[in-house]
Amino acid sequence: MKADDVPIQIAISYIPRDIADGTPIAEVDPGVGGISSRLAELGHAQVELEEDVRVRPPTPDEARFLRMIPDQWVYEIFHIGWTANGRAVKVTTYVMPTYQWNLRYRYPADPS
């Protein structure tokens, strides 16, 4: 992903083949709304998301692609999208320079 021709993110997604084959999901550009919108259109809407976030130094290839200097770090986000019936339909690893991104999460608190 780029913004104003500057690389800002690397994303690698895994979708079950029985869902993706022969659909726009399997294309380089799945269209407006991306893979998540195509999954919803195909009846596989994600109703729950799970993410594991860590900060680490970039690999040499990541640093080169993201145009980073040696002392900069990246967020690595491991994302899983689940359907209402508990099927994982989207697994994505995102790598993003920490200096370019602010992460914000909002979720319900357990009142007990």
Side-chain angles (χ1 to χ4, degrees):
M1 175 185 271
K2 295 181 179 182
D4 295 326
D5 209 34
V6 174
I8 59 169
Q9 175 177 266
I10 299 167
I12 300 171
S13 294
Y14 301 89
I15 309 298
R17 179 167 277 173
D18 65 306
I19 294 174
D21 278 353
T23 73
I25 292 171
E27 302 297 322
V28 172
D29 180 0
V32 176
I35 292 170
S36 295
S37 292
R38 301 300 77 78
L39 284 167
E41 292 166 1
L42 293 168
H44 303 284
Q46 300 167 86
V47 299
E48 185 175 5
L49 305 174
E50 177 180 345
E51 292 188 338
D52 180 47
V53 181
R54 70 182 186 130
V55 176
R56 62 167 174 78
T59 67
D61 286 341
E62 291 167 347
R64 199 169 17 265
F65 177 79
L66 294 167
R67 303 179 191 167
M68 298 175 69
I69 59 175
D71 65 341
Q72 294 174 325
W73 287 49
V74 295
Y75 291 115
E76 181 180 60
I77 302 172
F78 183 74
H79 166 100
I80 304 172
W82 303 90
T83 63
N85 67 356
R87 183 176 185 191
V89 293
K90 180 183 175 198
V91 175
T92 303
T93 300
Y94 299 94
V95 177
M96 307 166 356
T98 57
Y99 73 93
Q100 292 177 322
W101 291 85
N102 177 48
L103 303 180
R104 178 185 300 177
Y105 293 90
R106 182 176 177 176
Y107 51 89
D110 182 356
S112 55

